[in-house]
Amino acid sequence: MYTILKKELLNSNEIYLMEVRAPWVAQGGKPGQFVIVIPHEHGERVPLTICDIHPEHESVDIVYQVVGESTKHLSCMSVGDRLTAMVGPLGRQSELIDASPDEQKAMRLLFVAGGVGIAPVYPQVKWAHSMGIPTDVIIGARNRSLLFFEEKMRTVCDNLYIMTDDGSYGEKGLVTEKIKQLCSKSDGTYCSPYTHCVAIGPLPMMKFVSLLTKDIGLKTIVSMNCMMVDGTGMCGACRVTVGDKVKFTCVDGPEFDGHLVDFDEAGRRLRNPDERRYRIATVNPDSSHHCNLSDAVATTLKRQKPQEQDPKERATNFDEVSLGFTREQAVAEARRCLHCKKPMCVTQCPVSINIPEFIAAVANEDFALAAEIIAQDSTLPAVCGRVCPQETQCEGSCILGHKSEPIAIGALERFVADWRRNNPSGCSECSGYSDNSNKKKVAIIGSGPSGLTCAGDLAKKGYSVTIFEALHHPGGVLVYGIPEFRLPKKKVVEPEIDNLRRLGVEIKTNVIVGKSLTIDDLFDREGFSAVYVGSGAGLPKFMGIPGETLVGVVSANELLTRTNLMHGYDKTYDTPIYLGQRVAVIGGGNVAMDAARTAKRLGSDVTVIYRREEADMPARREEVHHAKEEGIQFNFLTNPVEFLDDGKGNVCGMRCVRMAMGEKDEKGRRKFTVIEGSEFDMEIDTVVVALGTSPNPLIKSTTPGLDTETWGGLKADADGQTSRPGVFAGGDAVTGAATVILAMGAGRTAAKAIDKYLSTEQ
């Protein structure tokens, strides 16, 4: 597949023709359409117009000019070599083909081609010839050496006119001069013998052809392929204004009414338009062009970097590491957004925040509007902006990330949320609130991100919502699990919870459902109509190896709860924290990074032990990077097999083995094996086990008829409905330990299901 069947140098300007075997493209391709070519495994996606189709060979012709690394690689390939991919046909076929038979019979066409635009004109002229439509062609170039396809074009058109700037071949002058000559009467007035003009070439040529034909009254079609980037509609970098509407070249085009195209705007969107050629030529060969998206990135500035505390300084305090964007940075970053027609960032957000809209508001410096847009879908924006794994969700799907760095969506969300907190008078008090006074009561078990989100959404719908929290502070994992240096409690978490209270949500702390009262009590005694279980997964897991009960072997949950919830690091608090000088943290997730960085701030020398490679770590890349900056050591492909006793019941060391990575398992993750004879001992004073958590069995053991998974999680359908009518569940209590945003997404989903359940309940 994608074998090069033919290769030909067309002129001295490094313009090549290639015939490539591509059955699917050859089967369905039409004049005016294009393909995406990937020359090699590490190559970029290059949109190229189909130049000709050979059904008998199951192949297509493409023409390109050497302008960057990928086209340079193409030029070095030979007949018999294979492209990595050719995707297509893409875009819309020429609108001339869509005309009715009667309309086609009445046609007389004038094609105007400039530079490498000669190539995509050819298949349309060839089609017109096959349909018996009278067709004239004007070809323009700076000089004779830049011409190609002359003989091919003569065989399929009625008249071919060649114009060169220097008069070295054909007639001297611009293509517009020939159009005037062909469309003028002897008295100098215009009278076009043509029904349509099709112009393809450099933007300036198409602009002036369109201006002229508008005066003549000749309908003109132009191809805006020069705006193309990815070709699939994801990025939005190929936007062009046509009349009063913004179109996407790759989806709505590439052909448009030349009399309606805003060529000046298009020129501004392209860097150095005077030096550019048609898309398959793209730019002057002497430029440093890589691809159109690189140009778009360059003209929209590089990704802004929030200021951070110095690593050496922050490793000794619990102040927030990231200082966030300044106003100027936020606006600059927002203006990098391409506003894709199909924004994948929204579909990849578990709570479906309207990301393009809030970013647009930031770009316009309307921060109040941005805050209201976010508030429609997120109860905890200041939290999510700080701890969400954006790199694998919204930012991970940002098209800018394919060629450069994605939009800093998380940092922008944080900026907006912080701005709203600091400017409460600038925003509506309770965005999205709807007091329908139905007053049905809903109980929420747990005040973590899932419970808070569900409570907020239900309160906005007018339900009387009460949250039952087992701890003395609401917030769940937000207050006991995530360190202050990542998520400040008083500055960030408490204000977010206060927003819920303003919605009318009641929060009862120190209530352990399953002990203080049961789910049946909530229905029968307390009068609740529905219950949502968002109790999280706070039960720590251990390794089950010898020595795990020694003094000094602790769970990450314990260390973090003592530090975060109980402020054990603060000498004014009574909660003690005992850590030795040499601390080993076992695990590779975010909790392991939080524990390691916390231990470092408490004065210990910290080493993270992880049985896989660094690339396999589930922790956020940012957290790993910060940990390394702060002086934390990493020992990969290492696994503990025993904790060593000092003879007094204290841990004094750890026996480990080296691991080797193998083939991938059914889930796509590489297996690992122990390397024989690789045992070695490490001297340590404290071990922090950060291997995940599971749901507390208290609720399932006190709620008859509530089905659970074998590993302890509650069974619930896609809407959060459990086996008990009126009882819903979501977040870590159902999935096991996951992320804050996924828990929030589950809370939103359940809130909708609860509303539907209570609305239809008789």
Side-chain angles (χ1 to χ4, degrees):
M1 191 72 76
Y2 315 129
T3 302
I4 299 173
L5 305 179
K6 177 183 176 181
K7 179 183 176 185
E8 178 184 353
L9 178 63
L10 297 178
N11 66 21
S12 61
N13 208 29
E14 290 192 287
I15 295 177
Y16 289 85
L17 177 145
M18 269 187 180
E19 181 183 351
V20 181
R21 186 174 185 274
W24 289 108
V25 181
Q27 178 179 311
K30 297 291 189 298
Q33 292 183 300
F34 63 95
V35 294
I36 295 292
V37 173
I38 305 176
H40 58 100
E41 186 176 355
H42 294 167
E44 64 177 318
R45 294 167 61 90
V46 183
L48 301 175
T49 302
I50 298 170
C51 179
D52 205 355
I53 300 171
H54 310 285
E56 68 281 8
H57 297 155
E58 297 185 320
S59 64
V60 297
D61 288 351
I62 55 175
V63 172
Y64 61 92
Q65 183 178 25
V66 178
V67 294
E69 291 301 318
S70 290
T71 48
K72 182 178 180 180
H73 186 94
L74 271 175
S75 70
C76 295
M77 299 179 77
S78 304
V79 172
D81 291 342
R82 293 186 177 184
L83 304 176
T84 295
M86 177 179 280
V87 185
L90 300 170
R92 296 176 180 271
Q93 65 185 20
S94 170
E95 67 176 67
L96 300 175
I97 300 175
D98 294 328
S100 68
D102 288 342
E103 290 173 327
Q104 290 178 355
K105 287 181 181 179
M107 287 180 179
R108 182 171 182 181
L109 307 177
L110 175 64
F111 285 87
V112 183
V116 191
I118 297 168
V121 160
Y122 172 72
Q124 297 199 41
V125 177
K126 182 180 178 182
W127 167 83
H129 177 74
S130 69
M131 300 300 294
I133 300 172
T135 304
D136 292 346
V137 178
I138 303 172
I139 292 177
R142 292 198 304 273
N143 55 59
R144 182 172 185 172
S145 68
L146 301 180
L147 294 169
F148 62 94
F149 276 14
E150 178 184 352
E151 295 307 316
K152 288 169 69 77
M153 203 73 79
R154 289 191 188 279
T155 63
V156 292
C157 70
D158 293 279
N159 297 287
L160 176 64
Y161 305 98
I162 297 177
M163 309 294 292
T164 55
D165 294 355
D166 62 0
S168 57
Y169 191 67
E171 301 179 49
K172 182 178 181 179
L174 303 175
V175 293
T176 49
E177 296 175 30
K178 177 54 67 173
I179 295 174
K180 290 179 181 179
Q181 180 183 335
L182 295 174
C183 297
S184 296
K185 296 192 297 185
S186 57
D187 61 1
T189 59
Y190 291 133
C191 181
S192 173
Y194 306 104
T195 58
H196 298 77
C197 173
V198 178
I200 305 179
L203 275 180
M205 185 208 83
M206 292 191 292
K207 173 185 176 179
F208 288 106
V209 167
S210 297
L211 289 173
L212 174 59
T213 56
K214 187 174 184 179
D215 289 340
I216 295 173
L218 173 58
K219 181 176 181 179
T220 298
I221 301 167
V222 296
S223 177
M224 299 301 291
N225 275 3
C226 54
M227 304 294 292
M228 203 82 72
V229 179
D230 178 74
T232 61
M234 293 190 300
C235 66
C238 64
R239 300 189 304 280
V240 58
T241 298
V242 182
D244 59 353
K245 296 183 178 179
V246 176
K247 303 284 188 177
F248 279 49
T249 300
C250 57
V251 176
D252 302 313
E255 295 184 347
F256 300 103
D257 185 338
H259 298 161
L260 299 178
V261 170
D262 188 336
F263 288 102
D264 292 334
E265 176 192 76
R268 289 191 295 270
R269 291 179 60 82
L270 299 175
R271 183 196 292 180
N272 301 324
D274 292 339
E275 297 179 2
R276 302 183 71 89
R277 300 290 179 265
Y278 181 68
R279 174 62 185 95
I280 40 185
T282 313
V283 295
N284 189 298
D286 295 330
S287 77
S288 58
H289 175 80
H290 183 64
C291 79
N292 264 6
L293 185 52
S294 298
D295 283 343
V297 171
T299 57
T300 54
L301 303 178
K302 296 295 183 181
R303 177 174 166 126
Q304 298 292 306
K305 304 293 184 184
Q307 291 184 321
E308 297 177 347
Q309 281 196 74
D310 179 82
K312 290 183 179 180
E313 181 180 342
R314 73 185 189 227
T316 63
N317 66 56
F318 281 82
D319 296 335
E320 191 171 17
V321 170
S322 175
L323 305 180
F325 279 156
T326 64
R327 180 189 183 103
E328 292 74 20
Q329 284 182 307
V331 173
E333 182 64 19
R335 288 175 179 172
R336 293 178 64 234
C337 182
L338 297 176
H339 298 285
C340 305
K341 189 171 184 179
K342 297 179 180 179
M344 297 301 294
C345 56
V346 176
T347 61
Q348 292 301 308
C349 174
V351 295
S352 302
I353 293 174
N354 194 332
I355 294 170
E357 289 299 319
F358 101 72
I359 288 180
V362 174
N364 291 328
E365 301 187 54
D366 192 343
F367 306 133
L369 175 60
E372 291 181 10
I373 292 170
I374 294 174
Q376 292 172 10
D377 299 296
S378 177
T379 307
L380 308 169
V383 171
C384 290
R386 286 168 165 82
V387 303
C388 229
Q390 293 96 0
E391 66 272 16
T392 61
Q393 294 173 163
C394 56
E395 292 183 19
S397 64
C398 177
I399 191 63
L400 280 180
H402 290 266
K403 297 296 180 182
S404 179
E405 293 181 284
I407 300 297
I409 299 171
L412 288 173
E413 183 181 19
R414 168 188 167 156
F415 171 82
V416 172
D418 289 353
W419 181 91
R420 180 179 184 177
R421 183 180 64 251
N422 296 327
N423 297 271
S425 61
C427 299
S428 58
E429 191 71 9
C430 299
S431 179
Y433 180 69
S434 173
D435 185 8
N436 58 26
S437 301
N438 63 52
K439 296 303 179 184
K440 288 186 178 180
K441 295 172 62 178
V442 180
I444 307 293
I445 302 174
S447 64
S450 188
L452 294 174
T453 299
C454 186
D457 283 8
L458 288 171
K460 291 175 182 178
K461 295 178 183 294
Y463 292 99
S464 177
V465 181
T466 302
I467 296 176
F468 296 90
E469 170 55 46
L471 297 174
H472 58 288
H473 281 299
V477 70
L478 303 179
V479 296
Y480 76 75
I482 303 177
E484 187 79 8
F485 53 81
R486 278 218 294 144
L487 185 63
K489 307 304 179 282
K490 287 189 176 296
K491 186 176 80 171
V492 176
V493 178
E494 290 184 10
E496 300 277 55
I497 294 174
D498 287 340
N499 288 336
L500 288 179
R501 289 192 172 102
R502 282 192 285 271
L503 286 172
V505 175
E506 182 181 9
I507 302 176
K508 294 185 177 182
T509 57
N510 304 309
V511 179
I512 302 175
V513 176
K515 287 292 186 181
S516 304
L517 74 172
T518 65
I519 285 180
D520 287 336
D521 290 335
L522 291 173
F523 284 112
D524 302 334
R525 193 178 74 196
E526 303 297 328
F528 287 94
S529 301
V531 174
Y532 178 70
V533 182
S535 52
L539 202 65
K541 296 179 180 179
F542 286 91
M543 299 185 70
I545 62 176
E548 212 161 34
T549 58
L550 292 172
V551 174
V553 179
V554 302
S555 72
N557 260 21
E558 178 183 349
L559 172 62
L560 294 174
T561 300
R562 284 176 178 271
T563 307
N564 304 328
L565 181 66
M566 306 305 298
H567 301 275
Y569 64 91
D570 189 336
K571 293 182 179 180
T572 63
Y573 284 74
D574 293 338
T575 299
I577 297 177
Y578 301 109
L579 285 178
Q581 187 61 40
R582 298 166 298 184
V583 174
V585 177
I586 303 171
N590 288 324
V591 174
M593 295 305 101
D594 287 342
R597 298 175 68 196
T598 294
K600 182 69 176 179
R601 283 160 172 76
L602 293 171
S604 299
D605 298 322
V606 184
T607 301
V608 173
I609 309 297
Y610 186 56
R611 63 185 178 180
R612 298 177 184 270
E613 295 175 334
E614 180 174 359
D616 299 310
M617 295 181 73
R620 295 184 66 188
R621 297 299 96 188
E622 179 184 47
E623 300 306 318
V624 176
H625 171 69
H626 282 160
K628 288 183 176 181
E629 281 188 328
E630 292 163 8
I632 293 169
Q633 303 299 309
F634 287 79
N635 208 332
F636 298 108
L637 293 173
T638 302
N639 198 38
V641 294
E642 181 181 1
F643 300 125
L644 305 178
D645 191 340
D646 69 350
K648 299 179 181 179
N650 303 307
V651 65
C652 67
M654 185 167 61
R655 183 155 295 151
C656 303
V657 292
R658 297 295 185 187
M659 313 297 290
M661 302 305 295
E663 299 297 323
K664 293 182 178 180
D665 60 21
E666 62 275 8
K667 294 183 179 180
R669 202 175 190 199
R670 293 172 66 192
K671 299 178 181 179
F672 55 86
T673 56
V674 176
I675 298 176
E676 294 295 332
S678 64
E679 285 190 357
F680 69 100
D681 292 346
M682 292 180 61
E683 292 185 355
I684 46 95
D685 305 309
T686 306
V687 176
V688 180
V689 181
L691 299 177
T693 55
S694 60
N696 191 302
L698 188 57
I699 288 179
K700 71 174 183 179
S701 64
T702 58
T703 310
L706 192 61
D707 294 342
T708 60
E709 302 287 354
T710 56
W711 52 269
L714 302 180
K715 285 187 176 181
D717 63 17
D719 293 326
Q721 173 67 62
T722 69
S723 55
R724 281 282 302 265
V727 178
F728 298 78
D732 293 1
V734 172
T735 63
T739 63
V740 168
I741 191 65
L742 288 176
M744 291 177 61
R748 290 208 78 195
T749 298
K752 294 177 183 177
I754 291 171
D755 180 43
K756 181 178 179 181
Y757 169 78
L758 295 179
S759 297
T760 57
E761 183 186 43
Q762 299 298 321

